Amino acid sequence: MKKTLSLVLAASMLVSALAGCGGKSGGDHDTAQSDPPVVESGSAHAPVTINFPTATATGALYAVGAAITNLWDTKIDYVSASSQASNGGIDNLNQISDGESQISIAISSNCYQCLNGTDSFEGHAYEDLKVIAGLYFNPNQVVVTEKSGINTLADVKGKHFAVAAAGSSVEGECRNHFTAAGLNYPDDINCEYIAFGDAADMLQNGTIDGAWIMSGAPAGAVSQAMSSGCKLLNIGDDIIAALQKDYPWYAPCTIPAGTYPNQDQDVQTSAIKMVMFCRGDLDEEAVYDLTKTLWENMEDLGEAQANLKGLTPEEAVKDIADLPLHPGAEKYYKEIGVL
């Protein structure tokens, strides 16, 4: 299968970790336990093309999407899968809703809003949204310069702060959290509407006071900032409790000491579970094979991508905001006794 240049570049180091999984061919396949075979459909399945938008190229989700689509493209004989950079969760959901893409990942809250036509999706709900798997918790990471004097979310008042792209899921996190901290968002903040990579550069050269980055840890943008005189902000129990009153999908999350350069203490923050979702009109057999292949190779994926390490199918159906599973995914989870 042809790969886009962006996928090859993004997945170059991941491919070597997954090379033992084998490739597509018409001959026999190694069926050793450590090397699950290519999934060959029992019938002549029509070709399936999977476009998988992710996030900006500096975010962890970009590499996660590259690893997963590389796996599917390699392992399932009738599937051609590739990942692409995007503007993140809300953009991903809009692409799925509009039929431009077939599978993607977003935080469970945005998926819920898309399914029900609320918040950013008011007036254009996508009622056929379906879930393949709940994945990892995606932590909010608030990075500020040491010289900014910011020690709490409330201290961001009046500061020059990067809140991500306007209307993005990350900007929504800023709105929710700063409101919970007692600020009038966005009026109380000198907001900069820029992407992760640009924010990291501006933090490094001191032209902004802080930035909101929502990404699996460690994230390259955060590592860059932490290497140049920045720190992670703690989000306390009081803020998380205030959030949970209106948004039950939030959970506390700890970023362990040593995750980033110059981080010598654990940092508590808030997190939302990342959900892999798809169009409801993807056929059941294809989604079953995609789900089965994902979980049968999760150990290898976890070795290549830290955010996928230790994931289990048992947890994949939990904390997903009561979103509906795709029938193909549901069939697999029932088959292995999870449902």
Side-chain angles (χ1 to χ4, degrees):
M1 296 286 181
K2 293 182 179 180
K3 300 289 191 296
T4 62
L5 178 60
S6 61
L7 171 58
V8 173
L9 292 173
S12 58
M13 70 176 181
L14 303 176
V15 171
S16 62
L18 297 171
C21 297
K24 299 178 184 181
S25 72
D28 293 336
H29 302 284
D30 183 0
T31 57
Q33 184 175 0
S34 61
D35 186 13
V38 170
V39 174
E40 294 180 340
S41 176
S43 60
H45 199 290
V48 173
T49 298
I50 302 296
N51 294 316
F52 192 124
T54 57
T56 59
T58 57
L61 185 54
Y62 184 82
V64 167
I68 292 172
T69 52
N70 179 69
L71 171 71
W72 286 339
D73 192 77
T74 302
K75 286 293 190 177
I76 307 177
D77 61 353
Y78 61 86
V79 168
S80 175
S82 62
S83 62
Q84 304 88 35
S86 78
N87 289 324
I90 290 177
D91 183 25
N92 296 345
L93 285 155
N94 284 329
Q95 288 194 42
I96 299 297
S97 178
D98 294 340
E100 298 175 17
S101 300
Q102 292 72 42
I103 298 177
S104 189
I105 299 178
I107 52 178
S108 61
S109 55
N110 286 161
C111 293
Y112 179 91
Q113 291 160 357
C114 181
L115 179 70
N116 293 283
T118 65
D119 297 84
S120 298
F121 304 94
E122 187 171 355
H124 53 279
Y126 179 50
E127 297 177 353
D128 204 23
L129 182 77
K130 296 293 186 288
V131 170
I132 293 176
L135 299 175
Y136 54 92
F137 279 101
N138 200 32
N140 285 295
Q141 301 179 63
V142 188
V143 191
V144 298
T145 64
E146 289 283 1
K147 67 178 184 179
S148 68
I150 299 172
N151 294 303
T152 68
L153 290 184
D155 293 339
V156 177
K157 184 174 182 178
K159 300 294 186 179
H160 191 191
F161 192 91
V163 296
S168 67
S169 57
V170 178
E171 198 221 346
E173 291 302 299
C174 293
R175 179 179 301 277
N176 291 349
H177 284 74
F178 286 128
T179 300
L183 299 187
N184 182 14
Y185 180 88
D187 296 342
D188 282 347
I189 301 170
N190 181 9
C191 293
E192 189 79 47
Y193 298 94
I194 55 175
F196 290 176
D198 294 332
D201 290 340
M202 293 179 74
L203 283 167
Q204 193 169 32
N205 61 37
T207 54
I208 58 174
D209 297 307
W212 199 287
I213 297 175
M214 191 179 199
S215 177
V222 180
S223 293
Q224 178 182 341
M226 295 286 284
S227 297
S228 54
C230 291
K231 64 182 180 182
L232 280 171
L233 213 58
N234 191 79
I235 297 180
D237 293 335
D238 56 336
I239 299 295
I240 295 175
L243 289 166
Q244 288 173 333
K245 291 178 181 178
D246 295 318
Y247 312 107
W249 45 72
Y250 283 110
C253 175
T254 298
I255 299 175
T259 300
Y260 291 111
N262 305 314
Q263 182 203 349
D264 57 6
Q265 295 183 346
D266 291 350
V267 174
Q268 178 176 286
T269 185
S270 61
I272 304 176
K273 200 165 201 178
M274 298 296 294
V275 172
M276 183 188 294
F277 59 91
C278 66
R279 290 187 57 83
D281 57 11
L282 276 179
D283 77 83
E284 184 173 327
E285 180 182 357
V287 176
Y288 171 84
D289 286 341
L290 292 166
T291 309
K292 179 181 174 72
T293 302
L294 176 76
W295 289 109
E296 288 187 347
N297 292 275
M298 188 56 76
E299 185 174 350
D300 287 334
L301 285 173
E303 289 301 318
Q305 240 315 305
N307 289 295
L308 300 176
K309 192 174 184 65
L311 298 187
T312 66
E314 289 78 11
E315 294 299 316
V317 296
K318 299 177 182 178
D319 300 313
I320 58 173
D322 295 324
L323 297 165
L325 290 167
H326 189 285
E330 185 175 17
K331 177 182 177 181
Y332 174 73
Y333 293 123
K334 286 182 177 178
E335 183 179 275
I336 64 171
V338 168
L339 294 177

